[in-house]
Amino acid sequence: MSSQLLREALTLDRYPRSNTYDQQWVVDNLMGPHPLWSAESLLQAMTLRPGMRVLDLGCGTALTSIFLAREYEVDVWATDLWVDPTENWQRVQNAGAADRVHPIQSDARKLPFAHGFFDAVVSIGAYNYFGTGVDYLPYLAEFVRPNGTLGIITPGIRTAPDFSPPPYVADRWGPDLCTWLPPDWWRHLWERTGLVTVETADFVPNGWADWLRWLQACAQVGRGYEPDEHLLEADQGKLLGLTRVVARLN
Ligand SMILES: C[S@@+](CC[C@H](N)C(=O)[O-])C[C@H]1O[C@@H](n2cnc3c(N)ncnc32)[C@H](O)[C@@H]1O
């Protein structure tokens, strides 16, 4: 598939900001669902103002950090465990975002930041790796100022965790799918801490279809992930999608 066809396949009216980025660059640095579409969907439910300090937690290759810095004029601490921060720094500089994006390597459970430092935390396709425990939100909230915001997008499922999955889900079942949880599951986990008020807990509109479109386009250039492509194709949005949760600290 040529760059032109890739751009056409990955240009959608509902993501006007993402459309202005080189889609080959996004594909070359992929780690999950289209990260800029996810960030843009999250920012439809969450406000960032210029100059805010934002923690991008589990930023992977820092594409979302670059996107947030450029689009919303915020300062971003691009924090990730697996990806070398030197590689991220190179990407950040190449993208002209060196004045606003600060790459850090850290485990989300051992953050090297001052308490109350951040105005907002954003986490795209990563929070389900480390944030499903009851004690995680209280830990993370320590790094956010009073009234600050938290916003996540993670793969999700509409039904409660103890359901009997249909065969196409059962065939793909494993420790990772166990962490694909419903919006209300996250709402309950967060609100029962008494520390936050959840403002949004839903599925990203068209999230599953856009995720499938992304996987199909990636497959055309040898970067697909067949297990999830087949899963989303079989499901057709009945159970699976992208969970979006936004909360404000009390
Ligand atoms: C599926 S990738 C998503 C990356 C990126 N946000 C994106 O959307 O392309 C999940 C990311 O979570 C990060 N991660 C997993 N466990 C982590 C932990 N305990 N602390 C910090 N990051 C973690 C990994 O390093 C990885 O980059």
Side-chain angles (χ1 to χ4, degrees):
M1 189 189 256
S2 69
S3 289
Q4 164 75 8
L5 286 175
L6 189 67
R7 183 151 55 81
E8 282 169 16
L10 297 176
T11 298
L12 290 175
D13 286 349
R14 55 183 160 272
Y15 304 116
R17 292 176 186 265
S18 304
N19 290 344
T20 65
Y21 288 74
D22 177 1
Q23 297 302 327
Q24 187 66 56
W25 176 72
V26 182
V27 170
D28 288 346
N29 293 293
L30 71 83
M31 291 186 78
H34 195 305
L36 307 189
W37 290 354
S38 290
E40 198 161 352
S41 303
L42 182 61
L43 268 288
Q44 284 158 8
M46 176 177 181
T47 303
L48 294 180
R49 285 189 300 281
M52 279 184 163
R53 287 191 289 270
V54 177
L55 171 59
D56 185 355
L57 192 53
C59 69
T61 51
L63 268 54
T64 49
S65 308
I66 292 165
F67 178 82
L68 295 173
R70 282 173 39 169
E71 298 299 319
Y72 303 94
E73 298 173 49
V74 290
D75 292 312
V76 186
W77 277 259
T79 305
D80 197 76
L81 185 60
W82 303 338
V83 178
D84 181 351
T86 306
E87 286 174 19
N88 275 346
W89 181 231
Q90 197 59 57
R91 248 184 302 276
V92 166
Q93 291 180 89
N94 293 345
D99 54 338
R100 290 196 181 277
V101 179
H102 317 286
I104 305 278
Q105 187 162 32
S106 171
D107 190 321
R109 303 179 191 98
K110 289 183 186 160
L111 293 172
F113 303 113
H115 286 184
F117 183 71
F118 292 105
D119 298 294
V121 178
V122 163
S123 185
I124 307 289
Y127 197 88
N128 56 314
Y129 287 82
F130 46 76
T132 54
V134 287
D135 52 350
Y136 189 70
L137 183 84
Y139 169 73
L140 181 60
E142 290 182 339
F143 300 93
V144 184
R145 67 159 168 81
N147 258 310
T149 49
L150 305 164
I152 67 169
I153 302 274
T154 80
I157 198 156
R158 288 184 198 277
T159 325
D162 56 356
F163 81 123
S164 299
Y168 62 88
V169 175
D171 290 347
R172 165 73 178 79
W173 198 254
D176 60 339
L177 239 75
C178 286
T179 68
W180 296 17
L181 293 156
D184 277 343
W185 187 93
W186 288 106
R187 176 194 288 280
H188 182 63
L189 181 75
W190 285 13
E191 284 198 330
R192 72 198 294 274
T193 66
L195 295 173
V196 299
T197 301
V198 173
E199 296 177 341
T200 300
D202 64 2
F203 259 20
V204 170
N206 296 296
W208 77 269
D210 294 346
W211 184 3
L212 177 57
R213 184 188 185 95
W214 160 249
L215 287 168
Q216 288 166 338
C218 291
Q220 293 290 313
V221 292
R223 297 294 316 272
Y225 186 58
E226 276 185 15
D228 285 357
E229 188 183 336
H230 293 157
L231 184 65
L232 292 170
E233 248 164 19
D235 184 64
Q236 291 294 307
K238 283 196 285 294
L239 285 172
L240 303 167
L242 294 174
T243 289
R244 172 172 64 180
V245 189
V246 176
R248 183 168 294 283
L249 258 70
N250 296 328

